[in-house]
Amino acid sequence: MKKDIEIPKVEKVHVAAVREFNKEFQADEWNAYIINNKNVSIEMILIVAKGYDGKKETSVMRHKLEKLPPHSFAKIEFIQDEVLGLNNEYQVTFFAENKMFEKAFVFKKNSVNEANKKELPIIPKLGILAE
């Protein structure tokens, strides 16, 4: 039965970390974004975020977006500096073209830093793409 279930490969959807200035708190902070670089909308987006390593684990955070239009992006959450020393995983599930897609995006521990920033698809800022 399991062999009959098709789970299509996730393409052109990314999770990125972007360093931004928060005017309210007058400080730079890292934020996680989901990027839809597809030519179609993605819908019913469920994101489960957690941080972990061999000894520590963060609380699990859940996020939901109804719809993300083609070639757009949306903020998922603020990333606390304290969890950057952990692996940060974003389990993303969504529907597109009447199919369900799922992928785990991971920022490996200590990979979210200024030295690793690069150009991102769609977002007009430098940042880091999760693997």
Side-chain angles (χ1 to χ4, degrees):
M1 298 290 176
K2 285 185 180 180
K3 64 181 174 61
D4 296 328
I5 299 173
E6 177 194 351
I7 300 176
K9 184 178 178 185
V10 173
E11 295 176 329
K12 296 188 176 185
V13 173
H14 312 279
V15 172
V18 177
R19 186 94 167 151
E20 298 173 302
F21 184 74
N22 183 321
K23 291 178 187 175
E24 185 177 341
F25 295 109
Q26 295 293 303
D28 286 326
E29 63 186 23
W30 288 100
N31 291 298
Y33 283 86
I34 184 164
I35 302 169
N36 177 13
N37 203 13
K38 291 178 159 295
N39 293 324
V40 296
S41 293
I42 61 176
E43 299 175 344
M44 282 288 288
I45 307 148
L46 302 174
I47 303 165
V48 178
K50 66 179 179 179
Y52 61 89
D53 69 5
K55 303 167 197 136
K56 297 180 186 175
E57 193 169 306
T58 66
S59 298
V60 174
M61 302 294 288
R62 292 174 176 83
H63 308 276
K64 178 184 172 199
L65 296 166
E66 289 294 329
K67 188 174 189 177
L68 192 58
H71 305 290
S72 65
F73 59 93
K75 184 176 175 180
I76 300 170
E77 67 180 6
F78 158 71
I79 306 172
Q80 293 180 325
D81 288 339
E82 294 81 15
V83 302
L84 296 178
L86 304 173
N87 295 308
N88 287 278
E89 179 179 287
Y90 293 84
Q91 184 73 37
V92 178
T93 306
F94 62 90
F95 287 91
E97 300 172 332
N98 295 319
K99 293 181 184 174
M100 185 175 89
F101 293 81
E102 183 175 60
K103 182 174 179 180
F105 295 91
V106 178
F107 293 108
K108 293 192 176 170
K109 62 181 175 179
N110 300 313
S111 67
V112 177
N113 60 54
E114 292 289 332
N116 290 338
K117 292 193 318 187
K118 298 177 183 169
E119 286 191 32
L120 298 172
I122 309 297
I123 299 177
K125 296 179 180 181
L126 297 176
I128 298 147
L129 284 178
E131 296 176 13

